[in-house]
Amino acid sequence: MRLGLNLGYWGLGNDADNLALAREADRLGYDVAWVAEAYGSDAATVLTWVAAQTDRIDVGSAVFQIPARTPAMTAMTAATLDTLSHGRFRLGLGVSGPQVSEGWHGVRFDKPLGRTREYAEIVRQALRRETLRYEGEHFTLPLPDGPGKAIKLTVHPVRAEIPLYLAAVGPKNLELTGEVADGWLGIFFSPEQADVSMAPLRAGRVRGGRAANAEDVMVGFDVVPTVPVVFGDDLEACAAPVRGYTALYLGGMGSRDKNFYNQLAVRMGYDEAAAEVQNLFLDRKHREAAAAVPLELIDSTALIGPPDRVRDRLAAYAEAGVTTLTVSAFDATLEQRLHTIRTMAQVLEASGLAA
């Protein structure tokens, strides 16, 4: 198992801190640093900034929003980042959600599975520097009724194949990820309930003919959950900073009827808690919503507690099929976060699970 680092969003007064974290993760031998985007900082600009000031660590988008860019633009950006970073870029894609897609980008959130499939196919075709022709339900290149002509990418990426990841939560999207992608970007992953995500991923690997190993269809596929990490002796105190984050996703990332993270919690068996957290959050009772998140849910989807406890728990992640564990440090200060990523590197080394 390898370690990744989640740098999250930028532009919130944390830019210098995040760069310091990326540099330290680079020094410690972390495998990849991921950068997110929602409706603030964009990931591409930040990834360029991080890549320019690190040496070995890969840089990845987690994620580039599919409704924000044409697939050809994403291929251009990926090829440029891969070239500038000397082959250290990983392309993570995601459809975002209805509120951001339609409210911010003005793109209808319809048929996300079909749109994602076509988008990934076009991006791969463009990055292979093929003359770009595509006829699909959602994308047609070139347009048939105008002056456009089929052209190909002028930039030569460092690698013939840039690793492509999809962020997925729902079963059908997970199956698509296994079918068309090189890796999965996960959230709220519980090793004890790994099959909620791993079963559809495996099914997709088989359906897409991407399983090179008949005995283990996941060989060669990167399973990358983002995991909150808080070290300390008191479990409840360690869980405290994760509560608001969990409540935000279960309660506020989507509408009452369409919240993928809430539905994930339901599939994991937290029906009543998911409903309570969502109701409280949507009623703007954010503190009460955070308090309503079960400690059991946080403990199963985060790494909290003393280093020895975290070390022992890493075995469950490895056994569940995690190949890259992305650390999200939930501490209050930069020094605390630096301490967390340093301790996590030591804990993985002590566990004997380091790749």
Side-chain angles (χ1 to χ4, degrees), residues 205-206 209-221:
R205 293 280 287 171
V206 173
R210 296 179 60 84
N213 188 316
E215 296 182 359
D216 185 356
V217 299
M218 299 302 286
V219 169
F221 186 84

Side-chain angles (χ1 to χ4, degrees), residues 15-340:
D15 300 20
D17 288 0
N18 279 346
L19 184 58
L21 286 168
R23 286 172 165 168
E24 183 64 4
D26 189 27
R27 186 189 69 82
L28 291 167
Y30 275 59
D31 208 50
V32 57
W34 300 99
V35 171
E37 65 181 18
Y39 43 96
S41 56
D42 76 287
T45 306
V46 175
L47 288 166
T48 306
W49 181 249
V50 173
Q53 301 186 66
T54 52
D55 297 315
R56 295 177 302 276
I57 194 168
D58 279 9
V59 292
S61 56
V63 294
F64 283 169
Q65 296 171 328
I66 286 175
R69 303 170 179 84
T70 67
M73 184 69 241
T74 290
M76 291 166 61
T77 304
T80 305
L81 278 165
D82 200 51
T83 303
L84 291 173
S85 66
H86 304 291
R88 292 189 285 139
F89 177 63
R90 304 186 193 183
L91 174 59
L93 299 172
V95 292
S96 188
Q99 292 176 321
V100 172
S101 182
E102 299 193 8
W104 185 248
H105 297 300
V107 176
R108 292 291 181 196
F109 193 81
D110 60 340
K111 300 183 178 179
L113 292 175
R115 185 178 295 275
T116 299
R117 179 187 297 277
E118 292 187 13
Y119 197 98
E121 289 173 353
I122 295 169
V123 168
R124 286 194 188 277
Q125 185 180 343
L127 287 172
R128 290 194 298 267
R129 301 193 68 251
E130 298 175 7
T131 300
L132 198 53
R133 296 185 178 90
Y134 194 87
E135 292 185 13
E137 179 182 354
H138 305 282
F139 299 97
T140 301
L141 298 167
L143 292 176
D145 54 356
K149 64 177 184 178
I151 52 181
K152 68 179 180 181
L153 186 70
T154 60
V155 176
H156 291 256
V158 174
R159 296 164 294 171
E161 296 286 340
I162 293 175
L164 189 151
Y165 295 72
L166 291 180
V169 177
K172 291 182 179 179
N173 205 4
L174 284 162
E175 189 168 340
L176 176 68
T177 300
E179 180 182 351
V180 306
D182 302 306
W184 169 57
L185 300 172
I187 189 170
F188 297 117
F189 180 85
S190 168
E192 290 73 26
Q193 296 168 304
D195 264 2
V196 169
S197 302
M198 298 298 286
L201 285 171
R202 285 193 294 267
R205 293 280 287 171
V206 173
R207 187 176 72 183
R210 296 179 60 84
N213 188 316
E215 296 182 359
D216 185 356
V217 299
M218 299 302 286
V219 169
F221 186 84
D222 200 8
V223 176
V224 190
T226 292
V227 182
V229 178
V230 184
F231 289 107
D233 294 328
D234 184 332
L235 282 189
E236 189 61 62
C238 290
V242 187
R243 287 188 174 279
Y245 156 84
T246 307
L248 169 63
Y249 276 83
L250 269 59
M253 289 292 192
S255 65
R256 190 179 299 277
D257 298 325
K258 187 170 286 189
N259 180 319
F260 305 125
Y261 309 100
N262 191 281
Q263 292 165 5
L264 172 60
V266 170
R267 290 195 298 276
M268 293 169 63
Y270 294 95
D271 313 47
E272 294 183 7
E276 182 183 5
V277 170
Q278 185 181 57
N279 288 335
L280 288 168
F281 197 95
L282 293 179
D283 288 341
R284 299 185 180 276
K285 299 177 180 179
H286 297 162
R287 290 184 180 179
E288 292 90 336
V293 176
L295 176 61
E296 180 187 1
L297 173 59
I298 295 173
D299 194 26
S300 69
T301 57
L303 287 168
I304 58 176
D308 287 350
R309 185 178 192 269
V310 171
R311 179 200 62 205
D312 294 342
R313 183 135 175 77
L314 284 180
Y317 282 85
E319 290 170 9
V322 172
T323 49
T324 303
L325 190 147
T326 295
V327 174
S328 186
F330 268 68
D331 309 278
T333 69
L334 172 60
E335 283 306 315
Q336 290 172 329
R337 291 193 292 274
L338 288 168
H339 175 73
T340 292

